[in-house]
Each structure stands twice: as C-alpha cells, then as structure tokens.
C-alpha cells in the first residue's frame, strides 16, 4: 500500500481490527484500557503497518512513557531505569569443561573419550565405571566403597543412611533400602523358590544397597549364610551402606557363626568408611526435655 502512495483512513476506534499489532513489540504502556483510542489515535494517519509501528514506538518513547503516572508518582520510564540500576549483576558462571559420565564397560575394556581409546584394567569388564575427563586429567573409577554406621540406638544412623541414599538418587544412582529383617525375608524367599542367584544378580543393578538395623534381631545360620552371599556378590561390584547398634566384635552373635561373621566383615570393610556415632538417644533426650517442660 505504501508503494502506491495512498493514505489509510482509520476505522472507528472501537473496531477490534485496529490498530494493527506488532507481536514483536515489547514497549511499556502507562494504561491499557482506552489509552490508544483517547491519547494516540486521534489526529494520526498511517500509510502502512510499518508506519504505524514507527509512529507508536516514537510516541511511546517521547510522550506516553514520559508522563507522570498518578499511581506511582513518576513516569514509567524513569521508574524502570531506577529498577534496572538497582538490580545486582548476576555472578559469572565458568563454562563447564570436561566430561563426567557413567557407563558399563564393554568386553574390549577400552573407554572412548573424544575420539581417543583409553585402556582400563580387564577386571572392570562388565562393570559400571565412572569416567572423569578434564583438560588436565583423565580417570576411570570402578571400585565401589561401602559405608558402615555404628552406634547405639537413637543417635541418627537411619536418618543419615536415608539422607545418603537420597543424595545418591539425586546423582542418578539406583538405590534400594530395607531393614536387615526385610533383607532376610527377601533372601529367604528367593532361596526357597530357587531364585537366589537370579535375585543376587538383579540386585547388582543397584549402585547402593542400604541395610538398616543389623543387630536388633539375631539370625539363624541359614539366614547368616544368605547374608554372606549377598555381601560376597556385592564385593567390589556395588556399594553397601549398613547401620548397626553392635560393634564388629559382637557380630558373631548376630549371625550365629563367628567364622561367617568374620568373612562378612572382611569383605565389607575392605573398601569402606566405618563411622562410629556416640551420644545419647535423641528420642530419650526429647522425652526428657518434654518431661522437664511439663513439670
């Protein structure tokens, strides 16, 4: 239309088709209802939508946003400038450099990174390995570590175990939690149905198993042997987190066999953080404080 030199007459102000709208426009307007019709449109003529956009942009900058708004006592553009000036600068975020991923090692026990093949010890074949590569360092880790929390009842061992399990899931590690009694029931059922080896293989899919409350109830020799098979199948294959109210010296009574307990402990502590928690029971302390408060 602009190339023909014709001039456009506006439709009545209430026609919803006018004025034409530019979806890319991000200007700020003092009021919405009736503002164009009463302040901008009267006396304006437009040769094309582009001409309309030019005029409205100029008008918003030079006239509309320079007026004082009664609601805020200032003109919107000045208030916007003050708000922007008061904003704190975002901290600079260093670019992410390097690779951190987890994958199962193939039979060729080579890990390809950025077109290069890195050899890994053949003992890691079939295992999940953690690969870390930066500009200066390359490493593959596949030896899992265990955590053993020892201490009297009520000092927070289970809370810590659950917190560590949740943290592991946040890092995309599959986790399975149960009490020692629950694990005994699971293993006994699998053994009775002839599926123990299948169950142990299935449990190796989990990066972390949490066994809570070892020592609260003793196990018979058959259950102790099942626990030993669970620990042996996880040895250097996956991590175990155990909480117990019994020191290692008394695990022989828990598992009904000193030899089985010693072999089990030997595999657990080989790659493990053993943490002993001391102190009074939080449950007893809270009850004592409540009793004092009610006196």
């Amino acid at each position: 239309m602009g190339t023909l030199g014709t001039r456009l007459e506006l439709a009545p102000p209430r026609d919803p088709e006018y004025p034409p709208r530019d979806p890319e426009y991000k200007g700020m307007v003092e009021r919405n209802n009736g503002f164009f019709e009463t302040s901008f449109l009267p006396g304006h003529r437009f040769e094309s939508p582009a001409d309309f956009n030019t005029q409205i942009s100029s008008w918003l900058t030079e006239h509309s946003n320079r007026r004082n708004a009664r609601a805020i006592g200032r003109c919107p553009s000045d208030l916007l400038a003050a708000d922007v000036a008061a904003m704190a600068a975002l901290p600079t975020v260093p670019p992410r450099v390097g690779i951190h991923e987890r994958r199962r090692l193939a039979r060729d026990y080579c890990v390809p990174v950025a077109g290069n093949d890195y050899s890994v010890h053949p003992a890691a074949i079939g295992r999940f390995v953690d690969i870390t590569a930066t500009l200066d360092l390359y490493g593959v880790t596949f030896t899992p570590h265990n955590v053993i929390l020892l201490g009297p009842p009520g000092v927070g061992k289970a809370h810590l175990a659950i917190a560590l399990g949740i943290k592991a899931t946040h890092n995309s590690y599959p986790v399975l939690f149960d009490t020692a009694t629950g694990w005994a029931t699971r293993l006994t059922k699998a053994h009775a149905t002839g599926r123990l080896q299948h169950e142990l293989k299935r449990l190796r899919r989990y990066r972390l198993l949490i066994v809570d409350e070892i020592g609260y109830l003793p196990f018979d020799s058959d259950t102790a042997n099942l626990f030993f098979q669970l620990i042996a199948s996880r040895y250097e294959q996956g991590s175990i987190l155990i909480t117990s109210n019994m020191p290692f010296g008394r695990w022989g009574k828990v598992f009904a066999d000193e030899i089985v307990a010693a072999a089990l402990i030997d595999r657990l502590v080989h790659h493990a953080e053993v943490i002993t928690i001391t102190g009074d029971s939080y449950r007893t302390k809270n009850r004592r404080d409540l009793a004092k408060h009610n006196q």
Side-chain angles (χ1 to χ4, degrees), residues 210-225:
I210 300 178
V211 183
D212 191 28
E213 298 180 344
I214 282 184
Y216 286 88
L217 293 175
F219 300 119
D220 57 29
S221 59
D222 291 337
T223 305
N225 287 325

Side-chain angles (χ1 to χ4, degrees), residues 29-269:
V29 182
E30 180 183 348
R31 295 188 303 276
N32 187 23
N33 294 333
F35 196 43
F36 285 116
E37 291 87 343
T38 60
S39 299
F40 173 67
L41 294 181
H44 284 80
R45 296 291 183 270
F46 313 101
E47 295 185 356
S48 66
D51 182 40
F52 172 86
N53 291 333
T54 301
Q55 292 192 46
I56 188 65
S57 299
S58 174
W59 179 77
L60 286 172
T61 303
E62 299 176 5
H63 300 283
S64 173
N65 288 344
R66 301 307 305 171
R67 299 174 55 196
N68 286 334
R70 287 175 299 189
I72 58 178
R74 301 177 62 183
C75 64
S77 59
D78 291 343
L79 188 61
L80 177 63
D83 287 344
V84 172
M87 294 180 182
L90 292 175
T92 58
V93 179
R96 184 177 180 181
V97 178
I99 299 172
H100 180 75
E101 62 182 61
R102 176 174 170 262
R103 69 176 70 161
R104 187 186 292 275
L105 195 64
R107 290 187 176 275
D108 56 4
Y109 54 89
C110 288
V111 177
V113 177
N116 297 317
D117 289 336
Y118 295 86
S119 298
V120 183
H121 195 283
I125 291 177
R127 300 186 185 182
F128 282 103
V129 295
D130 293 313
I131 303 168
T132 303
T134 66
L135 297 177
D136 304 316
L137 176 67
Y138 171 79
V140 177
T141 304
F142 65 91
T143 301
H145 285 73
N146 303 323
V147 177
I148 303 174
L149 303 176
L150 303 177
V155 294
K157 301 185 300 298
H159 284 277
L160 288 174
I162 294 172
L164 290 172
I166 293 175
K167 181 65 176 179
T169 60
H170 289 170
N171 289 314
S172 301
Y173 293 156
V175 179
L176 196 58
F177 173 96
D178 208 340
T179 62
T181 303
W183 283 109
T185 302
R186 179 195 298 265
L187 296 173
T188 301
K189 183 178 179 180
H191 178 65
T193 56
R195 295 176 54 83
L196 179 61
Q197 295 305 317
H198 174 79
E199 179 68 8
L200 295 177
K201 182 178 180 181
R202 188 186 70 85
L203 292 176
R204 281 199 292 270
R205 301 174 183 173
Y206 293 88
R207 290 293 304 276
L208 174 64
L209 299 185
I210 300 178
V211 183
D212 191 28
E213 298 180 344
I214 282 184
Y216 286 88
L217 293 175
F219 300 119
D220 57 29
S221 59
D222 291 337
T223 305
N225 287 325
L226 293 176
F227 257 103
F228 174 77
Q229 293 188 59
L230 174 65
I231 301 302
S233 69
R234 302 284 298 180
Y235 180 61
E236 294 189 335
Q237 298 289 330
S239 297
I240 294 182
L241 193 159
I242 288 178
T243 72
S244 177
N245 65 330
M246 294 288 189
F248 289 135
R250 300 179 61 184
W251 278 30
K253 296 182 179 180
V254 175
F255 291 98
D257 191 315
E258 295 287 348
I259 297 177
V260 171
L264 187 148
I265 294 170
D266 180 66
R267 286 163 174 78
L268 278 177
V269 302

